[in-house]
Amino acid sequence: MTDPVRLTAELVRCPSVTPEEGGALVLLEEQLTDAGFECTRVDRGGIANLFARWGEQGHVQTFGFNGHTDVVPVGDAAAWTKPPFGAEIHDGILYGRGATDMKSGVAAFAAAAIDFVRDTPPDGAVILAITGDEEADALDGTTALLDYMDQANERMSVCLVGEPTCPNHMGEMIKIGRRGSMTAWFTITGVQGHSAYPHRAKNPLPAMARLMDRLASHELDQGTDHFDASTLAVVTIDASNPATNVIPAQCSATVNIRFNDTHTGASLSDWLRSEAARVAEEFDVEADVRIKISGESFLTPPGALSDLVAKAVEAETGVSPELSTTGGTSDARFIKSHCPVVEFGLVGRTMHQVDESVEVAQIEQLKAIYMRILADYFA
C-alpha cells in the first residue's frame, strides 16, 4: 500500500515556494507513472503543472482530483521551532511548510488513486490535475491544466479539490461553493494647496472619506440560501503626506469585496464606479477606479457529488459534515466551469503559519476517505 505519510514528508522536503517546482511534481510524476498513470507536464509561464490519467481517454465516467504543491514563503525562518522543509515528525505530528496546505491532501489523493487503480481497476478513468501555481496569482496553474484538457479532449465528470476544509476537527465540513473575490483601488485627485487657505485647493481627503464611508456602510445583501452576506472591507487609505500645512493633491484607498451569488464581479464593478463618479461630482475632484476580479462566486448545488463525499466522510470519521461556502478562494473557482466540483480535506488550523503542521493520523484518515469515495463512485 502507498504510504500517504511518507509521501507527504517527501513532498514537504521539496522547497516548492511559488513559482519554484522544487522537485515535488517530479516526485509525483515518477510515482504515478510507476502505477500506470499516463503523465503529462503542462508547464506554462514559468509554472510547473502535472496532468495524470489512469484509464481510457474520454471515458464517460471520470473522477478527478485537483490540488497544488506550491507553498507560501517560510517567512521568518528563525521563528520556526522545526526546520520548515524538514518534515520532522514529533508526537504524531508532521511539521513543515505545506504540511497542511496542501501537500498532505495531494499525498492522500495520489496514494488513494494509486492503490485504488492497482487493487480494483475501475471501469472508467481517474485524473489528477496538480498545479504549482495556487498560492500566487494562479494565472498559469489550474487554468493551464484546464486549457490543456480542452485541447486534448480530456474531461473530468466530477472533481474533488483536496484543500483543507475542516475548521477544528476532521470531517466537519465540505465546501460546495465559494464566495467571489475582488479588489478595487481608488485614486482621487484634487488640487494641492496651503492648509491655511483651503478655498484655494481641492482637498481629495474629504472626498475619499465620503466615498469609503458610503461603500463601507452600504448593505450589499443579507445572504442567500447557501451563502453568508457579502462583505466589503476598506483595507487602506493613504495620502502619503508628512506635512501638516499642505493639502495634498491626491489620495488613494483600497477595498476588498467577498460576494455571494446575489452579485457578479461586473455588477459590483458598475456600482463601485458609479459611487466614485458620484463623489467626484459632489466634491469637484477626479476619481479613478481600477478593479481586479479574482473569482466569481459559484455553487455546486447539494446532490449526487456532495452526497457521495459526505457518505464517505461519515463512514470513516463518524461525523456528518456540514455543506459550506465559507472561506477564501480556491482553484475550484476555475473548475466549476468544467464540471461539478466540491472540496474536502483535513483540518486547516495551521496553514500559512510558523510551524505549520498536520496530524499523521489525519493524513491516513484522509487517504481512507478518498479511497472510499473512489470505490463508491465507480461501484
Side-chain angles (χ1 to χ4, degrees):
M1 301 294 286
T2 306
D3 183 354
V5 178
R6 177 192 56 78
L7 183 53
T8 298
E10 291 176 347
L11 290 173
V12 168
R13 293 187 189 108
C14 299
S16 52
V17 178
T18 319
E20 297 300 322
E21 185 271 331
L25 292 180
V26 172
L27 170 65
L28 288 168
E29 182 175 0
E30 290 175 352
Q31 299 219 5
L32 290 166
T33 299
D34 287 345
F37 283 77
E38 182 178 334
C39 293
T40 305
R41 283 286 291 271
V42 188
D43 297 0
R44 189 173 81 179
I47 297 295
N49 303 294
L50 178 66
F51 175 86
R53 172 179 40 79
W54 185 96
E56 296 181 15
Q57 182 180 14
H59 198 288
V60 174
Q61 195 173 23
T62 302
F63 193 95
F65 286 101
N66 170 258
H68 64 92
T69 54
D70 63 314
V71 299
V72 297
V74 168
D76 181 7
W80 287 68
T81 64
K82 308 291 187 299
F85 298 108
E88 293 183 3
I89 298 176
H90 298 273
D91 298 323
I93 297 176
L94 189 155
Y95 292 85
R97 177 57 84 223
T100 298
D101 188 15
M102 61 165 288
K103 289 182 174 179
S104 50
V106 171
F109 70 60
I114 288 170
D115 288 352
F116 177 71
V117 300
R118 277 177 173 167
D119 295 346
T120 53
D123 181 19
V126 177
I127 284 176
L128 277 61
I130 308 171
T131 178
D133 183 29
E134 195 272 348
E135 297 291 6
D137 293 331
L139 298 176
D140 294 302
T142 293
T143 54
L145 286 160
L146 292 170
D147 289 344
Y148 164 79
M149 291 172 68
D150 285 342
Q151 296 163 8
N153 194 32
E154 299 278 7
R155 190 154 196 92
M156 298 180 288
S157 303
V158 296
C159 184
L160 193 157
V161 178
E163 287 278 6
T165 59
C166 300
N168 298 298
H169 57 268
M170 193 64 176
E172 66 181 313
M173 186 174 289
I174 297 170
K175 298 292 178 72
I176 59 170
R178 294 276 189 165
R179 296 178 298 174
S181 175
M182 62 188 296
T183 302
W185 294 266
F186 297 87
T187 302
I188 291 183
T189 304
V191 176
Q192 182 175 318
H194 197 297
S195 59
Y197 306 97
H199 59 286
R200 295 177 180 171
K202 290 183 180 179
N203 195 337
L205 288 164
M208 185 64 81
R210 180 71 57 83
L211 176 58
M212 292 298 104
D213 178 62
R214 284 181 178 170
L215 297 180
S217 59
H218 178 74
E219 182 181 75
L220 291 169
D221 56 72
Q222 296 184 337
T224 65
D225 289 345
H226 295 287
F227 287 91
D228 292 335
S230 301
T231 61
L232 181 148
V234 179
V235 295
T236 185
I237 301 176
D238 185 23
S240 299
N241 179 27
T244 60
N245 61 348
V246 175
I247 293 172
Q250 200 168 76
C251 179
S252 63
T254 307
V255 304
N256 182 262
I257 303 177
R258 302 300 171 112
F259 58 96
N260 60 34
D261 51 355
T262 303
H263 313 275
T264 65
S267 67
L268 288 169
S269 296
D270 290 343
W271 170 65
L272 293 171
R273 291 192 174 98
S274 68
E275 289 295 310
R278 179 182 170 192
V279 167
E281 182 178 4
E282 181 180 344
F283 285 84
D284 191 24
V285 293
E286 295 180 2
D288 177 73
V289 186
R290 181 169 61 89
I291 296 172
K292 177 183 177 181
I293 302 170
S294 300
E296 299 286 349
S297 67
F298 74 93
L299 177 74
T300 299
L305 180 56
S306 56
D307 289 348
L308 172 77
V309 177
K311 178 184 175 184
V313 170
E314 186 166 10
E316 294 293 337
T317 67
V319 176
S320 179
E322 172 190 356
L323 303 183
S324 173
T325 59
T326 57
T329 59
S330 75
D331 278 1
R333 70 189 188 272
F334 306 122
I335 299 169
K336 54 92 177 175
S337 299
H338 176 90
C339 67
V341 58
V342 299
E343 302 172 56
F344 179 76
L346 43 70
V347 176
R349 280 198 305 266
T350 67
M351 55 185 175
H352 295 200
Q353 294 183 4
V354 168
D355 283 346
E356 181 177 349
S357 61
V358 59
E359 294 181 18
V360 166
Q362 285 188 14
I363 304 174
E364 295 168 339
Q365 197 170 32
L366 188 60
K367 178 194 172 184
I369 291 169
Y370 291 157
M371 285 277 286
R372 185 178 289 270
I373 289 171
L374 286 169
D376 291 348
Y377 179 75
F378 287 106

